[in-house]
Amino acid sequence: MNNLLFHWYENPDECLILIEPIFSKILTEMIKKRYGFNKNISKNLNINSKFYYQLKKNKPIRIKTLKRIINKLKLNYNKVNRHILGIGGSKFTFPINFPVNLNNVDISILIAAFMSDGHNESQHPHYANMGFLGNKIIQSARIIIKDIPYEFRNEHVRFHPILGRILLKLGVPYGCKSVINPDVPRFIYSKKEWMRQYLTQVFDDEGHAATKISRKIVFGRSVTVKNVPKEFSKFMELKKKVYFNNLPPKIKEIVLETPQRLLVSEKKMLNLFGINSSLRCRGICKYIKRTSADWVIEISGKENIRKFHNNIGFSHPEKVRKMEFYLE
């Protein structure tokens, strides 16, 4: 599937890429043969002539420069994929093979993670867990891009921007998910194992295992509620939840107009595994810039919970232990 490939030219124009030496030589010879003198090369390609020497010496060049060369020489963008050895910025490049194959179950894990405890952005997409879950996401990212750079900062795992670009292409938006209210990318439904791994990851991130006291699995997300009347919101205390059952009928209608779309889709996904669940709004809370509604999926009934445990399950060892203790 072409949409599950990520090509060199889908990166920003200012990124630097390293081309294999033989292909660099072929390009410089083609350019020289067509345009002759350096002055003609610079004029016809509308690029500073120093790029020619960078290419000739096999130094990294900008993607916009390679695009102009490929366009002028009437070559195929996709056929250039195999000639690119690395990508990066002004300080370093790292090895990569294009196109990046995204047709992999680990993509569903990464999408789930960044739809949950992760935050996608153009500079440093990051995931807000360390330990077991942090290592799991690093492993999945490195299966997709073997040498992807990452670092630990403020108890987050921060990745090279290329991961954010890939996730954006696949439907994980940049910015605040509770404001954007995205949906699960449709292609996740194409394989049952992808759905299973997706659900395992989101429940690892956002879910609570059943216990002898709670006797249910609870999984929550929030979404921004628009059009809350000022005459109501001005009496709400900052960061104090107003439970749904205590809301006036008009406010309930407004809240229900904007359900948490990820949870709606995740509930349907659970149904495909034969797991019954309920979806409800717990309440709303006012913050400085917005009002959010807290929505939850609840899975109850011991045999229903057992079916979740056997067919999907948590992967986090502590949550697995809690579930096994509850189901014993």
Side-chain angles (χ1 to χ4, degrees), residues 1-14:
M1 296 174 63
N2 190 53
N3 63 337
L4 291 181
L5 295 174
F6 186 76
H7 302 272
W8 65 273
Y9 51 82
E10 295 181 89
N11 291 284
D13 281 351
E14 296 303 314

Side-chain angles (χ1 to χ4, degrees), residues 249-300:
K250 181 180 177 181
I251 305 302
K252 287 182 179 178
E253 290 178 11
I254 293 171
V255 171
L256 294 176
E257 285 173 359
T258 312
Q260 219 293 335
R261 294 176 66 192
L262 286 169
L263 283 184
V264 171
S265 293
E266 287 152 358
K267 184 180 187 303
K268 292 177 181 177
M269 212 179 289
L270 287 168
N271 289 342
L272 295 175
F273 286 88
I275 298 163
N276 297 320
S277 61
S278 61
L279 175 65
R280 66 184 180 90
C281 175
R282 278 183 165 176
I284 65 175
C285 191
K286 184 172 76 171
Y287 299 96
I288 294 175
K289 294 185 178 180
R290 63 180 183 270
T291 299
S292 290
D294 296 325
W295 289 76
V296 291
I297 283 175
E298 295 178 338
I299 301 173
S300 57

Side-chain angles (χ1 to χ4, degrees), residues 1 3-5 100-113 136 143-144 170 184-203 266 269-270 272-273 311-313:
M1 296 174 63
N3 63 337
L4 291 181
L5 295 174
V100 179
N101 181 14
L102 309 178
N103 190 3
N104 189 300
V105 69
D106 285 272
I107 275 295
S108 65
I109 295 172
L110 291 170
I111 288 173
K136 179 183 177 184
I143 286 173
I144 303 302
L170 296 177
V184 177
R186 300 305 303 170
F187 72 88
I188 295 292
Y189 293 87
S190 64
K191 298 179 182 180
K192 195 162 188 178
E193 181 61 14
W194 288 24
M195 289 190 287
R196 189 181 74 80
Q197 293 287 355
Y198 174 95
L199 288 170
T200 293
Q201 183 60 43
V202 296
F203 273 85
E266 287 152 358
M269 212 179 289
L270 287 168
L272 295 175
F273 286 88
N311 295 343
I312 297 171

Side-chain angles (χ1 to χ4, degrees), residues 7-11 17 63 66-67 77 80-81 84 98:
H7 302 272
W8 65 273
Y9 51 82
E10 295 181 89
N11 291 284
I17 49 176
I63 282 180
L66 183 58
K67 284 181 178 178
Y77 275 29
V80 176
N81 273 315
I84 294 173
F98 285 110

